[in-house]
Amino acid sequence: KDGIRVVIEVKRDEQADVVLNHIYNKTQMHTSMGITMLALVKGRPMVLTLKEMLFHYLEHRREVITRRTKFELAKAEARAHILEGLKIALDRIDEVIKTIRASKTVESARESLVKKFSLSEIQAQAILDMRLQRLTGLERDKVESEYLEVLKTIARLQQILASDVQLMGIIRQELLDMKARYGDERRSEIVESVVDITTEDLIAEEDMVVTISHSGYIKRLPVSAYRRQHRGGRGVTGGGRKDEDFIRHLFIASTHAYILFFTDKGKCYWVKVYELPEGGRLSRGKAIPNLLNTGPDERITAFIHVMDFDDGANLLMITERGVVKKTPLMAYSRPRAGGIIAINLDEQDRLIDVELTDGEQEVLIATRSGKAIRFPETDLREMGRVVRGVRGISLQEDDVVVGATLVKPDSTVLTVTENGYGKRSRFTDYRLQKRGGKGVINMKICRKNGPVAGFKTVSDADDLMIITARSIVIRIPVAQVRVSSRSVQGVRFIRLDDQDRVVAVAELAVKEEETEENPDGEALSVD
């Protein structure tokens, strides 16, 4: 209570509880000590339990007090013996003095006293050592009083040795006295096993809204930040952003949940939700690469959020060269600071998508040349974390995979080409095939519409964002695009300049308060 108080100021975007936990783990502010209950019991080394240790300690204290009492009793009896001799001498002082005066030496005087007054040599020596002041009446009374007190002490000590109850009472009283003198509030805790304090121990579990923008900014904020409104309201702005950015993913997760990030180089990183920066509704958040120890050339291409690593869940990975792999989610439960290998990629290949499955899903993969294949996930056997995978679709020369999704019968598939054309199709239009085939026509590719640039699963309630190489962004309600055959050329989504092309297609995670398009649907430049 008289120590120095240290105040640590935490940056605005950092979590005070996380910082405190690191202080506990890295400094002497919080330490644990292992105790080996090894002791010598009757000369033999033994490892004792706590109860046995207390028992042997009490036995030790019993022995100490017994030996101490015997020592004090012997000392008191010796003193009483001397006092008895002094009393005899004081009662017959004239004869004692006459005997001493008649003796030539000390030895002869001691022998005469022993013979004449029936004294012991110790008593005789004590009489010879007695000072003359003891002859006064006051000193005589002191000898008498001391003798009576010594007799009481002898009686008390004999009772202690004869009574086990009194002996244990002394042990108890001495322990209470020790507690009163040295006792303070306990600063340690006795536990059966040592468990290090984790960050979860300091952070309350609660639901958070996590948002990820198209540009790769992430943040979390409490669910309470989105106040409940009546049906038909305008809503609230979900996140501050630059003109070319928008919220691409929004989900609710516990502060103790995990988010696994996958890069195009085939590596996996993960963070806990509580490690994400907490911001207001209008803040942008923090760039994902600044949260992870990614390489300079790595780019986040997919993420999965899970509460725990369930044995029954799988991760389905799809690469640009058409390789697919199914691995149990449990294989990714022990990450490293520098990330772990999620899939072993061939040269010039890259990971483009990761899906969380239960092992019974169907997969739809689309390519740049307008082909798509649908096959059951059961065609894939479970593989290890660092293996390459197997062929998911056979690609023609210079063809690559542009997207993949799990089959959702209640949704539709939207395909967008580089020249700004697109169309919607039903999942039932893609017949079920064996893994590794060439697939069926997903979209007729010609000079007018160009190769496929994006492939998404959408519903009528979604809005679509189309981004071009010149940073032109247009927002299109999916409901305005009618469902058509899978093999059509599509309709125009955006009118492009001669040197421009579509480079990315993304769905909006939320209905935002402000649109990115003019009322008449024309695209806006965000240069």
Side-chain angles (χ1 to χ4, degrees):
K1 52 188 176 181
D2 296 328
I4 300 174
R5 174 174 295 181
V6 179
V7 178
I8 300 177
E9 295 185 359
V10 181
K11 292 181 179 179
R12 182 178 60 182
D13 294 336
E14 299 297 334
Q15 302 301 312
D17 290 336
V18 176
V19 174
L20 179 60
N21 183 65
H22 284 304
I23 293 175
Y24 281 149
N25 290 333
K26 304 298 183 182
T27 69
Q28 294 298 312
M29 185 174 176
H30 167 266
T31 58
S32 60
M33 178 185 298
I35 300 176
T36 301
M37 308 289 277
L38 180 64
L40 289 174
V41 179
K42 296 181 181 179
R44 296 179 55 190
M46 296 179 61
V47 177
L48 307 175
T49 64
L50 181 59
K51 181 179 179 180
E52 291 172 341
M53 183 68 75
L54 293 174
F55 172 78
H56 288 295
Y57 173 75
L58 291 176
E59 289 298 305
H60 167 70
R61 292 301 303 166
R62 182 198 297 270
E63 182 180 357
V64 168
I65 293 175
T66 300
R67 295 173 62 181
R68 184 183 68 191
T69 304
K70 288 181 178 180
F71 172 79
E72 293 177 350
L73 177 60
K75 185 178 177 181
E77 289 176 342
R79 181 60 180 169
H81 181 65
I82 293 175
L83 291 174
E84 287 174 354
L86 294 179
K87 284 184 60 181
I88 292 174
L90 292 174
D91 291 339
R92 303 171 63 180
I93 190 60
D94 293 336
E95 296 180 40
V96 169
I97 294 175
K98 184 178 179 180
T99 302
I100 295 174
R101 286 172 61 90
S103 303
K104 294 182 179 181
T105 62
V106 175
E107 289 77 9
S108 62
R110 182 167 54 245
E111 292 175 0
S112 299
L113 290 175
V114 170
K115 292 179 180 180
K116 188 173 184 177
F117 300 100
S118 301
L119 301 174
S120 66
E121 290 188 359
I122 296 176
Q123 290 175 328
Q125 185 62 44
I127 293 172
L128 292 175
D129 294 337
M130 183 177 61
R131 295 181 180 182
L132 294 175
Q133 68 180 17
R134 291 278 186 164
L135 302 178
T136 63
L138 184 59
E139 289 297 323
R140 292 167 63 104
D141 293 339
K142 286 184 178 180
V143 171
E144 185 68 28
S145 299
E146 183 181 359
Y147 179 68
L148 294 176
E149 289 296 328
V150 170
L151 291 180
K152 292 179 181 179
T153 301
I154 292 173
R156 179 177 60 82
L157 296 175
Q158 290 175 341
Q159 288 179 358
I160 293 174
L161 294 175
S163 174
D164 189 68
V165 174
Q166 290 192 29
L167 191 143
M168 294 302 294
I170 294 174
I171 295 176
R172 179 177 182 276
Q173 187 58 47
E174 289 183 353
L175 291 176
L176 291 175
D177 293 341
M178 187 182 300
K179 177 182 178 181
R181 282 182 293 171
Y182 305 109
D184 56 5
E185 294 184 3
R186 176 175 287 278
R187 289 176 288 179
S188 61
E189 181 181 359
I190 300 175
V191 296
E192 293 184 359
S193 60
V194 177
V195 179
D196 292 335
I197 289 180
T198 61
T199 308
E200 286 85 348
D201 298 329
L202 300 174
I203 296 177
E205 184 172 358
E206 59 178 328
D207 288 337
M208 306 294 289
V209 177
V210 180
T211 62
I212 302 177
S213 73
H214 177 71
S215 298
Y217 286 85
I218 189 170
K219 69 173 180 178
R220 67 180 176 98
L221 63 161
V223 176
S224 58
Y226 294 90
R227 66 181 186 275
R228 178 177 294 180
Q229 298 184 359
H230 293 291
R231 179 180 59 81
R234 289 180 57 87
V236 295
T237 302
R241 60 202 181 280
K242 297 187 293 185
D243 290 338
E244 69 272 19
D245 201 6
F246 53 90
I247 296 177
R248 187 170 180 178
H249 303 283
L250 182 146
F251 56 89
I252 296 176
S254 167
T255 49
H256 292 187
Y258 306 84
I259 301 181
L260 284 70
F261 294 94
F262 299 87
T263 70
D264 57 348
K265 302 298 183 182
K267 295 189 69 175
C268 173
Y269 305 82
W270 62 257
V271 297
K272 284 296 193 75
V273 171
Y274 61 73
E275 295 176 330
L276 301 178
E278 184 174 358
R281 289 189 295 103
L282 302 180
S283 64
R284 292 179 60 192
K286 194 171 186 177
I288 294 177
N290 294 339
L291 291 173
L292 310 174
N293 189 20
T294 58
D297 299 329
E298 288 185 284
R299 186 173 66 88
I300 303 296
T301 56
F303 75 93
I304 299 292
H305 64 93
V306 295
M307 186 60 196
D308 51 36
F309 293 88
D310 186 4
D311 291 336
N314 296 289
L315 289 181
L316 183 66
M317 302 182 186
I318 303 98
T319 74
E320 192 176 58
R321 303 303 301 172
V323 175
V324 295
K325 187 185 77 164
K326 181 173 70 173
T327 305
L329 178 62
M330 183 61 67
Y332 301 88
S333 61
R334 297 181 180 274
R336 301 183 183 94
I340 59 176
I341 297 175
I343 183 173
N344 192 2
L345 297 174
D346 295 335
E347 189 175 356
Q348 304 301 323
D349 198 3
R350 66 189 188 96
L351 182 64
I352 63 171
D353 197 8
V354 179
E355 298 286 347
L356 182 66
T357 71
D358 58 6
E360 302 295 331
Q361 303 291 321
E362 293 180 356
V363 187
L364 185 62
I365 301 176
T367 72
R368 176 181 169 85
S369 64
K371 291 296 187 68
I373 186 172
R374 176 183 176 184
F375 62 88
E377 187 185 348
T378 52
D379 284 357
L380 299 171
R381 62 180 177 85
E382 292 185 356
M383 301 180 182
R385 179 173 57 83
V386 297
V387 301
R388 172 184 179 273
V390 295
R391 180 180 298 173
I393 184 172
S394 296
L395 300 176
Q396 299 176 356
E397 188 177 357
D398 297 330
D399 196 9
V400 294
V401 173
V402 295
T405 185
L406 299 179
V407 174
K408 301 175 182 178
D410 56 343
S411 300
T412 55
V413 178
L414 187 139
T415 306
V416 180
T417 66
E418 289 187 356
N419 292 345
Y421 286 79
K423 58 94 182 180
R424 290 173 68 192
S425 303
R426 296 181 179 86
F427 279 102
T428 53
D429 292 343
Y430 301 83
R431 72 176 185 273
L432 199 62
Q433 297 178 273
K434 288 291 185 179
R435 171 190 62 81
K438 293 183 179 180
V440 298
I441 296 176
N442 173 42
M443 190 172 191
K444 282 188 177 181
I445 301 302
C446 61
R447 185 175 181 180
K448 181 181 73 173
N449 57 14
V452 175
F455 179 77
K456 296 291 179 183
T457 298
V458 295
S459 63
D460 289 341
D462 295 333
D463 280 2
L464 198 69
M465 301 294 288
I466 299 177
I467 304 99
T468 73
R470 294 186 174 180
S471 298
I472 304 298
V473 179
I474 186 172
R475 175 174 173 177
I476 299 175
V478 173
Q480 294 183 2
V481 182
R482 65 181 180 88
V483 179
S484 59
S485 171
R486 63 175 171 80
S487 59
V488 300
Q489 295 182 3
V491 297
R492 188 188 299 275
F493 280 5
I494 180 173
R495 192 177 301 276
L496 302 174
D497 296 336
D498 293 338
Q499 302 300 322
D500 202 4
R501 61 186 177 88
V502 174
V503 294
V505 179
E507 69 277 12
L508 281 177
V510 291
K511 294 288 185 179
E512 299 175 277
E513 190 175 11
E514 297 178 359
T515 67
E516 302 291 349
E517 60 181 4
N518 287 331
D520 56 5
E522 295 181 359
L524 299 177
S525 173
V526 292
D527 286 342

